[in-house]
Amino acid sequence: MNEELDSQLSAMFDDELAPGECELLARRLSRDEQLKARWGRYAVIGAAIRSERGVRLNAPLAGRVSAVILDEPALATAHTARRSGVRWWQPVAAAAGAVGVALVSVLWLRAQAPLAGAPLSAHLTVPSATATVPGAAVVPAAAAGAPDSYVVPRAPAVRVVVPSTELANYVVAHSVFSSPVTRRNLLSAFMSSESGAAAEQPPDEPEGNVQ
Amino acid sequence: MSADASDLSLVRRVQRGDKGAFDALVLKYQHKLVKLVMRYVRNPAEAEDIAQEAFIKAYRALPQFRGDSAFYTWLYRIAINTAKNAVVSRDRSPIEYDLDRNNEESYDMQGRLKDSETPEGLVLTDEIRSTVNAAIDALPEDLRTAIVLRELEGLSYEEIAAAMACPVGTVRSRIFRAREAIDRRLREVFEGGLGRAEELG
């Protein structure tokens, strides 16, 4: 037996060997029966020195465990088998989940999107009779029998007014750089809001009124 | 030196499907584990059965071992749980051990007598002990001190080097030579059977 190898074995037994050397020696130890027997005797020497009371130094325990383990599947094989057993349904479950999320998103978006051509104000409702809007009149819950009403919130004191020609010029100038889809959306939104606002609300409508 | 590197290298091999590496772990820890289990059960044969069960449980649970704690700490925990469960199930069974737990000596002797091992097995254990002790007595002082500090006191090589005022490499060499000298005589006992220790003197 190589003395250097035995010296390494002794150091490995004491956890005093470098990890890299441990890897190499562990591979050899697991295959070399002679080396394994020496390793086992090192354990016996330690137990004898410590005078471990009641512990049989010639116990066939290691042989018995080894015999049981021999009938067991190797861990890497067993682990792989377990993993392959669950592998087939994982992509199916993932795809089903993705489809479900997409479907819910589409339905939700369709439910939330305003009807084409309908004025924006038609979708605004007061959640409950007791809901308050700062600066607005409160409709009491007792007036349940009264027809549905809409509370126009009080607008801020200073109103930022952008001249429509100025805004149109800006949009046109911006459209040179924006993508075609965005450009179309912006322009159409601008056009519809211009015409819609002019038709819907008179400019001298009093603020904070209950209609 | 990283602690537990040797155990971890063996554990990784077992996790990759190398059963032979697990034999090395069993060989290394079997005596310590039986001693630990004997805190719960005093019969050596029963303690060995529980230790065997603990090793098999550890083998089966090894894919879940990530190396966050030392392997032996993890193994000891399994052994303690196995021993506690064995004691509970034994206490529930109608067969009772009629032993005087206060009388340590008689309890230990009855445990030995319940041993399924033959009397020759007990004699062999005693013979191994006397062989090892005789071999240690025959060692040069520096080798004896090094091996005793390591095995009995559980000191690391660095601590032994500090205690003996020598380099770590010298400690490693002394411990190895001490083991080799003891192992030479021990091998003859294992290979020759009973009575070899007396012949060897």
Side-chain angles (χ1 to χ4, degrees):
Chain A
M1 190 72 67
N2 181 356
E3 193 173 303
E4 177 54 29
L5 183 69
D6 290 344
S7 169
Q8 284 184 339
L9 189 72
S10 170
M12 183 174 168
F13 189 84
D14 292 332
D15 270 333
E16 295 278 357
L17 196 64
E21 289 177 286
C22 278
E23 292 291 331
L24 294 171
L25 199 54
R27 178 160 46 171
R28 185 151 184 184
L29 180 60
S30 67
R31 293 169 187 176
D32 189 333
E33 289 303 316
Q34 210 177 343
L35 208 61
K36 211 184 281 181
R38 184 182 292 263
W39 173 271
R41 288 197 300 273
Y42 284 174
V44 168
I45 291 168
I49 291 173
R50 288 188 296 273
S51 300
E52 286 166 348
R53 196 175 169 184
V55 178
R56 294 188 305 174
L57 299 176
N58 58 323
L61 178 59
R64 276 159 49 190
V65 172
S66 185
V68 175
I69 298 296
L70 206 63
D71 294 334
E72 299 260 329
L75 289 186
T77 318
H79 195 54
T80 310
R82 272 201 300 276
R83 281 175 58 186
S84 64
V86 296
R87 194 176 292 154
W88 67 268
W89 61 264
Q90 283 177 339
V92 175
V99 167
V101 168
L103 202 65
V104 167
S105 305
V106 166
L107 290 173
W108 184 80
L109 281 171
R110 291 185 73 174
Q112 293 295 313
L115 293 172
L120 190 63
S121 59
H123 298 283
L124 294 173
T125 51
V126 178
S128 72
T130 53
T132 57
V133 177
V138 176
V139 179
D148 289 342
S149 60
Y150 170 63
V151 180
V152 177
R154 191 187 297 278
V158 181
R159 201 175 201 175
V160 180
V161 179
V162 181
S164 58
T165 35
E166 213 173 296
L167 186 61
N169 287 340
Y170 170 75
V171 171
V172 169
H174 178 72
S175 67
V176 175
F177 304 101
S178 62
S179 70
V181 176
T182 322
R183 192 187 312 152
R184 191 162 48 246
N185 287 348
L186 269 172
L187 284 170
S188 58
F190 172 71
M191 296 301 286
S192 64
S193 68
E194 278 290 289
S195 58
E200 246 176 44
Q201 197 175 8
D204 56 344
E205 182 69 26
E207 297 165 359
N209 272 3
V210 178
Q211 287 179 330
Chain B
M1 205 68 59
S2 73
D4 205 36
S6 87
D7 288 354
L8 209 55
S9 60
L10 289 166
V11 164
R12 295 292 177 239
R13 291 204 66 78
V14 183
Q15 286 174 330
R16 290 197 292 267
D18 184 352
K19 293 179 182 177
F22 195 72
D23 292 343
L25 289 167
V26 177
L27 284 168
K28 185 176 179 182
Y29 290 116
Q30 59 175 337
H31 305 110
K32 287 182 180 176
L33 215 62
V34 170
K35 187 187 176 192
L36 176 78
V37 171
M38 285 189 73
R39 291 182 196 165
Y40 298 89
V41 292
R42 303 301 290 266
N43 179 357
E46 194 182 356
E48 283 172 19
D49 287 345
I50 292 168
Q52 179 183 338
E53 196 184 334
F55 274 122
I56 292 162
K57 278 183 182 174
Y59 176 79
R60 288 172 182 159
L62 219 48
Q64 282 82 51
F65 178 74
R66 295 188 307 273
D68 295 338
S69 62
F71 170 73
Y72 71 88
T73 311
W74 181 76
L75 177 66
Y76 279 20
R77 220 158 33 223
I78 292 173
I80 287 170
N81 288 337
T82 310
K84 282 179 178 173
N85 290 340
V87 169
V88 168
S89 60
R90 189 192 62 191
D91 288 348
R92 281 181 189 154
S93 70
I95 301 163
E96 295 285 337
Y97 287 96
D98 188 19
L99 296 170
D100 179 10
R101 284 173 184 263
N102 296 324
N103 189 340
E104 180 108 349
E105 198 174 332
S106 84
Y107 191 80
D108 188 47
M109 184 52 73
Q110 291 199 48
R112 283 171 70 113
L113 289 174
K114 278 177 184 292
D115 194 350
S116 58
E117 184 75 24
T118 57
E120 284 81 13
L122 297 174
V123 173
L124 189 56
T125 291
D126 291 340
E127 190 167 1
I128 290 167
R129 272 209 186 97
S130 61
T131 301
V132 170
N133 288 334
I136 288 172
D137 287 344
L139 287 175
E141 179 68 33
D142 53 351
L143 301 194
R144 185 167 62 237
T145 306
I147 191 75
V148 167
L149 286 177
R150 173 64 213 166
E151 293 289 5
L152 203 60
E153 304 299 331
L155 299 189
S156 68
Y157 284 9
E158 208 174 314
E159 288 167 328
I160 297 169
M164 296 182 75
C166 65
V168 172
T170 306
V171 171
R172 175 174 154 162
S173 168
R174 283 176 182 172
I175 290 174
F176 162 62
R177 283 191 285 138
R179 279 196 177 122
E180 281 301 287
I182 301 166
D183 184 50
R184 214 172 295 126
R185 299 178 75 163
L186 196 58
R187 216 160 41 218
E188 291 172 24
V189 174
F190 275 111
E191 288 164 5
L194 279 174
R196 288 293 297 159
E198 286 167 18
E199 285 175 31
L200 292 167

